[in-house]
Amino acid sequence: MTDASPAQQAPIDVAALADDPYTVYAQFRRAGPVHRITGTDGLPAWLVTGYDDVREALADPRLSLAKRNATPGGYRGMALPPALDANLLNMDPPDHTRIRRLVSRAFTPRQIEQLREPIQRTADELLDVIAAEERTDLIVSYAAPLPITVICDLLGVAPADRLDFRSWTDSLVAPDPARPSLAREAIGNMLSFLSHLIAGKRTAPSDDLLSALIAVRDEEDRLNEDELTSLAFLVLFAGYENTVHLIGNAVLTLLRHPEQSAELRADPTRLSSVVGELARYDGPMPLAVRRFPTEDVSIGGVTVPAGETVLLSLAAAHRDPRRFTDPDRFDIHRDATGHLALGHGIHYCIGAPLARMETEIALSALLGRFPDMALAVAPSELRWRPSMRSRGLLALPVRTGGTKQTLADR
């Protein structure tokens, strides 16, 4: 087994990762493809940085998502009850195959396309409110409420309950170390709410994803109660959190590249292809979901023992010059095909089409409405979530610069 140097075994600096993960990961990538590190939980892990190695590892069936394959005492993640933990991010085949097949029967392109008009309407309504303000925090006023509205529409959650959902999710994504009880309370509240919501949908189904998941079956197979509740939790948690950061990071990128923003404003139809470059350049997930080898595996010429935690750095892979020319440059003309922001292999994000559609609509509406929008603070004053696993702004203060008159205003 290749030995890592003492420097490579040092703890990861979360503050440095939050401010500029790409410089940190580039240093690891230049030093070699795989490194033994100490994670933010104080436990050892293996960090994989090169594009080819990350892509191959994402699809390697020997790298398990199931926590039961972790070395005892070698992994500490979020402690969830079984009714929230039995989701696709913790499963391997055959359970993963069975549940994904069942979900895909309900999470159809038709179901997603039906959301296009409501997403556009919600974006326009949020921008109507923003238009009355000279300055706003775009995370609070736009990037966060848009996805939570979309996900709650998808699941059939009543508008009155949506603020609770957002609060619970925020408590789980960025737990307060000084108040650990908040995360535990959020888990309990979310489980209780989802259980009651499912019971209500079972009694009185409607035209939403949750009702479809309750009804779906494949021959004699169907989702059990824990799997159903866990899927609803995953759709809410991942569909909200990742899309907030995807939109927020994309807006910041465009604000910092005004000439390219102007090109997109002149031809917004190009946004559908540019979303991939935005996700590559500054995506919401610097790391893929942790993996645990079911046997000793060789990654980049380094032997990783069975059961140890493997972290696949999407942030490092997306800035690998062997895969993307001049990777630290944002370029709307780049063909970003092959980016890994939405996964690869059997764990490719099932909600990817929805996330892309939301982001495209959100950016198109924003660019069209506020052609003179600009950052209200210096880029160095922006603050990011203190997290190794997510990349998202705590706030995005902007000056709106006035709105563009729409046909409805004339």
Side-chain angles (χ1 to χ4, degrees), residues 353-396:
L354 177 59
R356 285 195 297 265
M357 185 170 71
E358 280 186 75
T359 305
E360 178 186 348
I361 291 173
L363 297 178
S364 178
L366 188 69
L367 288 172
R369 184 73 73 93
F370 299 106
D372 298 319
M373 178 172 281
L375 280 174
V377 299
S380 60
E381 294 180 46
L382 294 171
R383 294 294 175 260
W384 299 83
R385 283 191 182 276
S387 173
M388 185 175 178
R389 289 177 170 80
S390 69
R391 169 77 171 162
L393 289 159
L394 292 171
L396 181 54

Side-chain angles (χ1 to χ4, degrees), residues 64-207:
S64 169
L65 266 64
K67 288 181 281 189
R68 66 177 179 273
N69 288 314
T71 300
Y75 170 75
R76 289 195 300 264
M78 185 185 298
L80 294 173
L84 298 182
D85 209 38
N87 63 64
L88 293 170
L89 299 185
N90 295 320
M91 288 183 177
D92 303 320
D95 286 339
H96 178 276
T97 307
R98 173 179 63 86
I99 291 180
R100 188 174 177 107
R101 182 176 64 242
L102 289 169
V103 174
S104 66
R105 288 171 173 254
F107 208 84
T108 62
R110 174 181 170 274
Q111 184 94 33
I112 294 171
E113 188 58 34
Q114 286 178 335
L115 292 170
R116 180 176 292 276
E117 185 176 340
I119 293 172
Q120 183 69 62
R121 183 171 59 251
T122 300
D124 290 338
E125 290 171 352
L126 292 169
L127 294 178
D128 286 342
V129 175
I130 293 172
E133 304 171 355
E134 293 183 4
R135 174 173 169 152
T136 187
D137 174 0
L138 216 60
I139 300 298
V140 171
S141 62
Y142 193 58
L146 180 60
I148 199 66
T149 301
V150 172
I151 292 300
C152 287
D153 280 346
L154 187 65
L155 290 175
V157 177
D161 297 317
R162 295 177 182 183
L163 284 179
D164 286 336
F165 259 46
R166 183 173 168 187
S167 173
W168 298 335
T169 302
D170 286 344
S171 294
L172 295 178
V173 170
D176 184 348
R179 303 175 67 189
S181 62
L182 290 180
R184 292 194 296 269
E185 290 172 8
I187 290 171
N189 288 333
M190 193 171 289
L191 175 56
S192 176
F193 180 84
L194 289 174
S195 298
H196 284 92
L197 181 65
I198 289 169
K201 297 292 182 183
R202 187 171 278 119
T203 301
S206 55
D207 185 20

Side-chain angles (χ1 to χ4, degrees), residues 28-45:
F28 278 105
R29 191 182 58 240
R30 286 193 292 268
V34 181
H35 303 270
R36 180 79 158 171
I37 65 168
T38 300
T40 55
D41 56 5
L43 296 174

Side-chain angles (χ1 to χ4, degrees), residues 204-259:
S206 55
D207 185 20
D208 56 63
L209 176 64
L210 193 52
S211 296
L213 288 173
I214 292 169
V216 74
R217 63 170 66 241
D218 183 2
E219 297 177 353
E220 295 305 313
D221 207 358
R222 69 185 309 159
L223 300 168
N224 65 39
E225 204 67 14
D226 281 355
E227 292 167 347
L228 180 60
T229 309
S230 294
L231 272 172
F233 170 71
L234 179 61
V235 170
L236 169 69
F237 191 79
Y240 166 62
E241 171 68 10
N242 290 339
T243 309
V244 170
H245 296 332
L246 180 57
I247 292 173
N249 296 1
V251 172
L252 175 61
T253 297
L254 293 177
L255 289 175
R256 298 185 70 177
H257 296 83
E259 292 183 1

